[in-house]
Amino acid sequence: MNNKILGVYTSGGDSPGMNASLRAIVRLAIHNGWKVIGIEKAYKGMLEKNFKTLDLNFVAQIIQRGGTVLQSSRYPEFLKKEVRQKAYNNLKEQGISALICIGGDGSFKGLSALHKEFNINAVGIPATIDNDIYGTDLSLGFDTASNVVLSAIDCIRDTADSHGRVFLIEVMGHNFGFLALHTALSGGAEDVFLPQDNLKIKLPQVAANIKKRQSRGKKGHILIVAEDLNKQAYSYQIAKQLKTIAPDIDIKVSILGHMQRGGSPTCLDRSLGARFGIKSVELLEEMFLLNNPKQLAVVLKQGKISSLDLKDVISRKKELNEEELSNYIRILAG
Ligand code: F6P
């Protein structure tokens, strides 16, 4: 297919900045002569033919809005080849020759399969509050979610200090711990539990540190817990074990949940959304002109926007690599 028709969708867990990116894509692509079709609810929408031609007005007044105006979905059925074939037939019916997927790792896998099987021009824009996508320093939504968590930490700190309590605050992050580590450091938490931590070793140290700090007059304690999807009610398990080791400590649990995915995107997420959007349209323009379909992801590396092969991005794991920071978090907490 060699039509200048672009399909764009937001997929997986929504994240602040998706709308800012969509705005940039729609406006620049139309400027460059593309027809832009929004695919509502991502892969599910491809199957259900939820196609909508987007004009300049569609993306008005969305730069400041969290969530995604195109809506999103999780659609594991897309792992099946016959489902992708049907989706492709529907894309073909619309004349779509290029796709931009704004989403996370799982969504990129669907995009990569579509490119591989049907040779469609494909670009992925990293968007997830988990910040767990290989090759990019930041994904859309991470900064906003971090700030939402920080506001919660600040609020809980007030009541923790007032009662001399220990709070376990559980944050999202999909078993990777980026959000937990980053917010523990910036929120002045006393400690952080990462999914790879061994509780048997860690908990006695945490209890001893709490007692030491309390004896020098420290009132409240904030312990950030990275969600662990393999362990049900993880923070409650930690609280129970901590209570067994140190029965006199007053412990409360606060699981922040989906509020972390909402809210108006920060300046950083809006500008990153625009920069990712611009780059993705430029890449598609190049593929189209050279008649050379590729699968790429746009990334932020050391302050610069560039692109990587989508195959590499989905096949490699982003390492936390900063675990030594949890030592410093404890030291800085005094
Ligand atoms: O991937 C983003 C994320 O918010 C994770 O941090 C979390 O584990 C998951 O999505 C929650 O998924 P859902 O919205 O489907 O409950």
Side-chain angles (χ1 to χ4, degrees):
M1 263 190 296
N2 216 14
N3 309 319
K4 241 182 151 180
I5 303 181
L6 163 66
V8 58
Y9 55 101
T10 51
S11 178
D14 58 302
S15 64
M18 281 180 158
N19 285 329
S21 205
L22 180 70
R23 172 180 177 271
I25 292 163
V26 171
R27 296 244 165 109
L28 181 60
I30 290 175
H31 175 83
N32 288 353
W34 292 79
K35 174 180 174 184
V36 185
I37 296 180
I39 306 166
E40 290 172 326
K41 297 204 172 165
Y43 295 115
K44 190 164 187 279
M46 275 183 206
L47 263 289
E48 293 174 356
K49 300 193 182 182
N50 293 335
F51 299 115
K52 182 183 201 141
T53 300
L54 306 183
D55 60 12
L56 298 177
N57 289 336
F58 182 84
V59 291
Q61 302 301 333
I62 66 167
I63 198 167
Q64 72 277 28
R65 286 174 61 189
T68 159
V69 291
L70 281 181
Q71 293 200 281
S72 188
S73 65
R74 298 201 189 270
Y75 196 60
E77 292 86 339
F78 211 71
L79 291 169
K80 295 184 197 141
K81 196 166 178 195
E82 63 273 19
V83 172
R84 293 196 295 271
Q85 179 66 59
K86 277 191 198 145
Y88 178 68
N89 295 345
N90 294 343
L91 295 173
K92 206 168 148 195
E93 212 173 86
Q94 297 291 317
I96 292 173
S97 63
L99 287 173
I100 296 180
C101 164
I102 309 174
D105 191 60
S107 309
F108 282 3
K109 287 187 177 133
L111 179 67
S112 176
L114 284 175
H115 168 81
K116 193 169 155 224
E117 289 158 12
F118 309 109
N119 203 29
I120 196 157
N121 300 297
V123 179
I125 293 185
T128 162
I129 65 159
D130 303 336
N131 203 28
D132 58 345
I133 298 178
Y134 176 82
T136 187
D137 292 340
L138 275 181
S139 57
L140 291 181
F142 179 67
D143 187 60
T144 307
S146 300
N147 281 294
V148 170
V149 173
L150 278 190
S151 310
I153 292 175
D154 292 347
C155 290
I156 292 174
R157 175 72 76 183
D158 290 343
T159 177
D161 282 349
S162 303
H163 286 260
R165 280 177 172 154
V166 173
F167 269 86
L168 292 165
I169 303 180
E170 183 170 317
V171 304
M172 283 183 164
H174 210 261
N175 288 20
F176 284 91
F178 289 99
L179 193 57
L181 192 62
H182 186 67
T183 54
L185 180 68
S186 46
E190 276 67 29
D191 216 321
V192 57
F193 290 88
L194 299 171
Q196 57 270 37
D197 282 337
N198 180 335
L199 289 189
K200 277 208 176 90
I201 300 171
K202 186 164 175 121
L203 280 173
Q205 293 163 355
V206 170
N209 286 336
I210 291 172
K211 291 202 164 150
K212 201 166 92 197
R213 290 193 204 96
Q214 283 177 339
S215 67
R216 71 155 171 86
K218 191 156 201 174
K219 296 177 186 133
H221 274 74
I222 301 288
L223 311 176
I224 302 295
V225 180
E227 71 173 356
D228 188 329
L229 298 177
N230 307 315
K231 294 178 190 147
Q232 291 253 313
Y234 188 39
S235 304
Y236 286 100
Q237 286 182 32
I238 296 176
K240 202 169 155 200
Q241 292 181 42
L242 198 54
K243 197 81 189 152
T244 316
I245 300 171
D248 49 329
I249 298 177
D250 187 0
I251 305 170
K252 294 279 172 183
V253 170
S254 189
I255 299 177
L256 299 185
H258 285 78
M259 67 175 286
Q260 295 164 93
R261 288 231 297 255
S264 181
T266 57
C267 174
L268 181 55
D269 275 328
R270 294 185 204 191
S271 65
L272 191 60
R275 291 168 78 200
F276 278 163
I278 293 165
K279 182 73 179 177
S280 59
V281 173
E282 282 175 352
L283 290 170
L284 286 178
E285 194 72 27
E286 207 176 289
M287 290 181 211
F288 184 82
L289 286 176
L290 301 175
N291 197 11
N292 181 18
K294 289 183 187 170
Q295 51 166 326
L296 298 172
V298 293
V299 295
L300 177 78
K301 215 61 212 158
Q302 291 170 344
K304 293 210 166 64
I305 306 287
S306 57
S307 64
L308 289 176
D309 192 321
L310 193 61
K311 282 200 301 302
D312 292 339
V313 172
I314 58 175
S315 60
R316 300 176 73 169
K317 188 171 177 275
K318 185 170 178 179
E319 298 296 340
L320 192 53
N321 271 346
E322 290 177 313
E323 280 140 312
E324 75 277 5
L325 270 182
S326 51
N327 276 333
Y328 288 108
I329 285 167
R330 281 187 287 280
I331 295 168
L332 300 188

